[in-house]
Amino acid sequence: MGDLSASTVIATAEETTDLRDFGGDEWREALEVLTDSLNTEAGLTEFGEVVAHADLVGSLARRLQIVDYRRTHPEVAEGRIERPIFIVGQVRTGTTILFELLAQDPDARAPLTWEVDAPCPPPEAATHDDDPRIEDSRQIQEMMTSIIPDLKAMHPIGPLLAQECVRITAMDLRSFIFPTIYYVPTYARWLLETDMASAYQWHRGFLQHLQSTIPVNRWVLKSPGHIWALDAMMKQYPDARLIQTHRDPLRTIASVSSLACTLRTFAAEQTPIEEVAREWAEYVIDGIDRSIDARESGIVPASQVVDVQYQAFAADPIATVAAAYDQLGLAFTAEAESRMRRFLDTQPAHEHGGHHYTFAQTGLDERELRERTSRYQDFFGVPNEPLG
């Protein structure tokens, strides 16, 4: 069984890497809260304890390796990151396919899954397409999908696909990836109230690490987790340009509840979707309310953000992307459009590759949630969708 005490996780990461310098201590409180929550709330199976232990050790091991690389390559810290594009829509609002489309632009770069899985040493241009770490990453994902066969139908998986920022901030132990794959409500509540500055400082350092060997014209980044931390994100990246995707929040709640319910079976027994939905409804509503607050307060300047309605994007992705480029002052080149169209041609015609869910399965009160989400729908002009 995996020992989920914070001290054992730290010791294992140090032993695995033979390194000791974590580049600061901000992550320690997060690890303590997370391991306590995993031990007392998550209901992990014996296999789940091993999985969670390896998950946390891996996050800290990657952190140790990146800090050590920067110690021997101090020039990495001089790398400039200018006007990155962040996709900050809520969970299950079309962010993934939009992310992949923007990443097709030859002028853009997104962190790839294999680069986040094994970032040290940073990738080299000459071997970027055949680095042996790609196959290592593929094997890890095949193992996951063999245990959770429904996963591929719910979310695209592959070592060469763009990876979300929640995997990057996980190296600071401040990430909504953990409440997604484990039932850790105490940690989630702590995460919603904690200062996320160190997570975004780490995030910038990670991007500098990747671009130290392959120069980047424009970073394209994505994570639903950003919506809960827009203030910290904008303080670290004041010149960032944002695309916020919008969808009927009740559809969002139903979809993410189904996803989290499935993901958690990797480490715990099946939880009734009604319980997961009650939990995630609170997270989603908190996030969309924060996004309004960020607009009204000026944390997110109107000139730096584009709003994309899910239904319009689903109806014509290329036209939606072209309009977003225009609003952001970017050139939508013929090559970018061609690559995006080729990518779309390879995708399943149905949403999320066949992910089927209904709001009725959540057991939530539709009228109550309509009232609680009306501020968001009115502010951003988000229409209701059939709930099924």
Side-chain angles (χ1 to χ4, degrees):
M1 290 174 31
D3 186 340
L4 281 175
S5 67
S7 59
T8 300
V9 169
I10 293 168
T12 305
E14 291 177 337
E15 181 181 347
T16 300
T17 61
D18 198 26
L19 298 169
R20 301 292 182 272
D21 183 1
F22 289 93
D25 293 323
E26 296 88 351
W27 54 274
R28 291 182 183 271
E29 181 185 1
L31 179 64
E32 291 283 355
V33 177
L34 179 54
T35 51
D36 285 349
S37 199
L38 284 166
N39 282 313
T40 61
E41 297 173 325
L44 300 175
T45 62
E46 288 190 15
F47 177 70
E49 291 179 5
V50 174
V51 168
H53 175 80
D55 191 5
L56 301 186
V57 169
S59 291
L60 285 183
R62 286 186 282 274
R63 183 185 183 103
L64 283 164
Q65 291 165 340
I66 290 171
V67 169
D68 184 64
Y69 185 88
R70 180 166 292 215
R71 177 184 61 80
T72 56
H73 298 78
E75 70 279 2
V76 169
E78 299 173 8
R80 296 174 63 86
I81 298 171
E82 297 179 329
R83 305 187 75 192
I85 295 177
F86 283 87
I87 300 171
V88 299
Q90 247 305 357
V91 185
R92 316 300 282 176
T93 60
T95 58
T96 298
I97 188 66
L98 177 59
F99 187 29
E100 291 291 349
L101 283 177
L102 297 188
Q104 304 308 308
D105 189 330
D107 286 334
R109 180 179 175 188
L112 301 184
T113 296
W114 75 265
E115 296 175 323
V116 178
D117 284 346
C120 283
E124 297 284 350
T127 57
H128 193 250
D129 295 335
D130 57 6
D131 191 296
R133 289 173 286 183
I134 296 173
E135 182 57 31
D136 293 341
S137 178
R138 190 188 315 277
Q139 291 179 9
I140 292 171
Q141 289 162 50
E142 287 179 354
M143 182 268 289
M144 287 184 62
T145 54
S146 70
I147 297 173
I148 313 177
D150 292 339
L151 186 56
K152 272 192 173 181
M154 292 185 165
H155 192 81
I157 293 175
L160 299 178
L161 293 178
Q163 183 54 256
E164 300 189 17
C165 298
V166 283
R167 288 284 314 284
I168 298 172
T169 59
M171 300 173 212
D172 192 59
L173 280 302
R174 285 168 166 79
S175 174
F176 240 89
I177 190 67
F178 299 119
T180 305
I181 60 179
Y182 308 109
Y183 177 63
V184 284
T186 298
Y187 169 80
R189 289 191 294 270
W190 175 88
L191 188 65
L192 290 173
E193 299 302 325
T194 195
D195 184 353
M196 292 290 287
S198 68
Y200 284 92
Q201 183 179 10
W202 176 263
H203 184 276
R204 176 180 286 274
F206 186 87
L207 297 184
Q208 289 175 323
H209 177 82
L210 289 187
Q211 72 181 30
S212 64
T213 48
I214 304 177
V216 173
N217 178 46
R218 178 173 69 243
W219 279 109
V220 175
L221 306 150
K222 173 252 181 178
S223 171
H226 295 311
I227 206 166
W228 292 285
L230 291 169
D231 54 346
M233 190 190 81
M234 293 305 295
K235 285 178 182 176
Q236 186 62 229
Y237 299 102
D239 64 347
R241 291 169 288 184
L242 281 59
I243 300 176
Q244 185 173 352
T245 51
H246 301 283
R247 187 180 191 183
D248 181 341
L250 272 62
R251 288 276 291 182
T252 298
I253 289 167
S255 183
V256 71
S257 299
S258 176
L259 174 66
C261 196
T262 299
L263 284 172
R264 290 177 181 178
T265 62
F266 193 63
E269 298 297 336
Q270 181 80 45
T271 303
I273 192 170
E274 294 87 351
E275 293 182 20
V276 180
R278 285 195 297 272
E279 175 194 359
W280 267 93
E282 298 305 314
Y283 301 155
V284 169
I285 294 170
D286 182 276
I288 59 180
D289 282 345
R290 289 187 189 209
S291 73
I292 300 171
D293 295 341
R295 300 293 185 92
E296 292 182 333
S297 66
I299 287 173
V300 174
S303 61
Q304 293 176 225
V305 60
V306 173
D307 292 299
V308 169
Q309 297 292 338
Y310 174 83
Q311 290 178 323
F313 175 63
D316 195 336
I318 298 299
T320 304
V321 170
Y325 266 56
D326 184 59
Q327 286 183 256
L328 294 173
L330 299 173
F332 190 50
T333 65
E335 178 62 19
E337 180 178 354
S338 176
R339 291 189 182 196
M340 290 180 192
R341 289 190 183 279
R342 286 200 299 270
F343 178 81
L344 281 177
D345 287 342
T346 68
Q347 302 308 298
H350 41 283
E351 179 189 13
H352 301 314
H355 177 203
H356 302 293
Y357 59 90
T358 66
F359 180 80
Q361 293 170 328
T362 68
L364 297 172
D365 187 310
E366 179 181 348
R367 179 176 296 180
E368 177 192 354
L369 287 184
R370 283 289 177 219
E371 291 177 0
R372 295 183 64 193
T373 59
S374 62
R375 179 191 178 209
Y376 165 76
Q377 291 191 261
D378 292 344
F379 188 90
F380 290 110
V382 180
N384 292 352
E385 294 181 43
L387 297 181

